[in-house]
Amino acid sequence: MQAAADVPMQVRSESSLSERRISPAWTIAQFKQRLEPITGIPSSFQRLTVKSHSSQPDVPLEAANEEITQLSAFALQAYAEINVTDTRPAHLRNATDFSSQSALDQVEKYQMPAATYETLSNSVLAYKRANNLGRFDPTAPSAEAATKSHILREISERHIALGRRCRLLPPPDQQNAKTEDGMDRRGEVAYVGEIDELPGIGAWVGVRLDEPTGKNDGSAKGHQIFDCGGMKRGVFVRPERVEVGDFPVVEELGEDMEEI
């Protein structure tokens, strides 16, 4: 499987704003380490949120184990904005720590307001705007289109298709989780596509489980998407939760609370 392409995004903190290319292969911990010299906020005191579409709340960029959870788990949208919040108490944010950096680094520096920077004619931002680069490229996809494209690409890379045998993977922040009996929940792909009745952008994967341990009967808010024989054998998940392969039927499967 090819590595996912970098995603251009805006990184904003209280004192900085810049456009960066983000690799979905980075873990959250690695990403925070890269943000530290950009924002001046120690990685252990960063709270990250992704600014979503105006009709949806911001999405926390966090997980139970940030050392192993990759950014690909969050379906990053091209040219969306990542906000970096400093969680340190106000009286500690400007405290000098000579054991970790030089006194010169602690000298108060001028920070140009973002609104002023955007008016400059000789800045990198002005160059990108004049040459239709980055978010100024008129041919660049919208954030919504980029998200849909990312999900469809993952479906293709994972070889997810109707009728394929599969098993459900744990949520990204529970990669080491196991079901109570140690068994995988298995079934077959029964639906691939967008579902108006479910929240979020892009395609979902409907799985008909071998056992009635699902969250629904193949329907979403009263709309029947696929048939489960009237039993709770259906789940709708994003493609990163599905692994296709030669998975024979097992008798009993565990329970997962992360599907819709």
Side-chain angles (χ1 to χ4, degrees), residues 107-113 116:
V107 175
E108 184 177 357
K109 301 176 179 64
Y110 170 72
Q111 296 288 343
M112 180 180 293
T116 302

Side-chain angles (χ1 to χ4, degrees), residues 6-206:
D6 291 351
V7 181
M9 303 188 72
Q10 298 289 312
V11 176
R12 181 186 294 273
S13 68
E14 185 178 3
S15 59
S16 66
L17 173 64
S18 60
E19 183 176 306
R20 303 282 168 170
R21 299 193 69 82
I22 311 301
S23 172
W26 294 341
T27 65
I28 297 177
Q30 291 172 331
F31 185 40
K32 286 185 174 181
Q33 291 174 356
R34 292 171 181 268
L35 289 175
E36 186 168 338
I38 298 172
T39 64
I41 304 173
S43 59
S44 58
F45 292 97
Q46 296 175 16
R47 183 171 67 244
L48 308 182
T49 56
V50 179
K51 187 174 180 61
S52 185
H53 299 283
S54 58
S55 61
Q56 300 183 27
D58 294 354
V59 178
L61 202 64
E62 58 187 20
N65 190 338
E66 297 186 348
E67 295 291 339
I68 63 173
T69 303
Q70 295 182 324
L71 298 181
S72 58
F74 298 89
L76 303 179
Q77 302 176 8
Y79 306 112
E81 184 175 285
I82 294 179
N83 288 301
V84 187
T85 303
D86 192 339
T87 62
R88 292 176 294 177
H91 69 281
L92 293 179
R93 294 178 187 176
N94 296 319
T96 303
D97 181 5
F98 291 99
S99 65
S100 62
Q101 53 187 342
S102 68
L104 181 61
D105 291 335
Q106 292 298 294
V107 175
E108 184 177 357
K109 301 176 179 64
Y110 170 72
Q111 296 288 343
M112 180 180 293
T116 302
Y117 177 72
E118 291 181 359
T119 65
L120 298 180
S121 60
N122 59 345
S123 64
V124 174
L125 182 66
Y127 176 83
K128 289 184 175 182
R129 183 186 293 116
N131 292 276
N132 295 327
L133 299 176
R135 59 190 172 100
F136 301 105
D137 183 354
T139 64
S142 66
E144 180 174 344
T147 298
K148 290 183 177 182
S149 177
H150 170 83
I151 294 174
L152 291 176
R153 183 168 60 251
E154 185 154 15
I155 289 172
S156 175
E157 291 174 349
R158 289 178 176 271
H159 306 293
I160 297 172
L162 294 179
R164 294 293 303 273
R165 290 289 301 172
C166 66
R167 67 177 180 179
L168 296 183
L169 300 176
D173 60 345
Q174 300 177 23
Q175 290 298 316
N176 296 323
K178 292 184 178 179
T179 57
E180 294 180 358
D181 57 8
M183 302 296 288
D184 297 319
R185 285 202 295 167
R186 305 179 180 184
E188 67 175 7
V189 178
Y191 178 82
V192 179
E194 297 187 24
I195 302 175
D196 293 337
E197 290 79 9
L198 297 185
I201 298 170
W204 292 83
V205 180

Side-chain angles (χ1 to χ4, degrees), residues 90 213 237:
T213 57
V237 295

